[in-house]
Amino acid sequence: MAFRVIQGTFHIVGYSPDGDSVRFKAQNETNWALLEGRAVKPNKKGHVQLRIEAIDTLETHYNNQHQPLQFADAAALQLFALLGIRDVVWNASHSKVTAAKDGTPGFIITRMTDENGRPVAFVFGPEQSLTDGQEIFIDPKLAKKSVNYQLLKAGLAFPTFYNGLFYDLREVFATQTVKARKKKRGLWAVDVSNHFTQINGLTDVTETHILLPKLFRRIVAFLAENGGVFDAVKFLADLKKGNERVLVLNKLHFTHFDNLVETDADGRIRLTELPEELVFLA
């Protein structure tokens, strides 16, 4: 199935955006009905939450918790800049945007929604020569012009792949990830996802350690359910209950996420595979 170009505007005022989260208003809402998956349901303002394809930036407000804000905020600021959104003002708790020059024009290219009805999208500013409603095939050259790619290039996002992403496009993002890591751009200078890391409590993951956001989210949920106390063995057992399926590309091996997190004798944990080697099976 070809992708669909949808023209519209980007919005953050009144919302809690982060580096991979933004609202979009379609110029022509009938385009939403052309996508595969669950129906898109715009809110009263006509805004739709996007899921930006292939990337995951550090969390700014997951379950009222955040990852280290140096890179979480940097990703959000970079996203806003790429979309032409300026003069952003947050509330006192930095949980909601109260003012900004948003409503900036641009495009998304999408073919499907996720289980929550969010369009899974490649995001572009207004400079691209695209036509609203057109069917299009995304090649690597076009993918490199996307906001998705630019955030990876800056070292401000982790690659996070699902099985709906085509092989050639996944390779584009994986290759750029390797380059950014080698040059220690952005978060790659301090990422510890693949290194044994001691976690004693919440502040270790909210203030200190840079971890793959998917792993961070699982740790935060575990801590909330266990009185803020982290136990690596119990955490792995809890992770196993999620039964989250993953394809490990460098081994062509299907497994579950809990099998890719290990602990050592000191109770430290690490992810055993690089994030670009993983494809999560939705």
Side-chain angles (χ1 to χ4, degrees), residues 11 25 89 112 156 186 217 230 239:
H11 301 266
K25 183 177 182 178
V89 179
M112 61 187 294
L156 294 174
R217 293 190 288 268
F230 188 81
L239 205 59

Side-chain angles (χ1 to χ4, degrees), residues 3 18 22 24 41 81 110 123 140 144 162 170 177 212 236 242 253 261 268 274 276:
F3 288 83
D18 55 24
V22 69
F24 182 77
K41 295 181 178 179
T110 179
V123 177
K144 289 179 180 180
Y162 288 86
R170 187 177 70 227
T177 296
L212 183 74
L236 292 184
H253 173 64
V261 180
R268 301 177 300 173
L274 294 170
E276 68 269 22

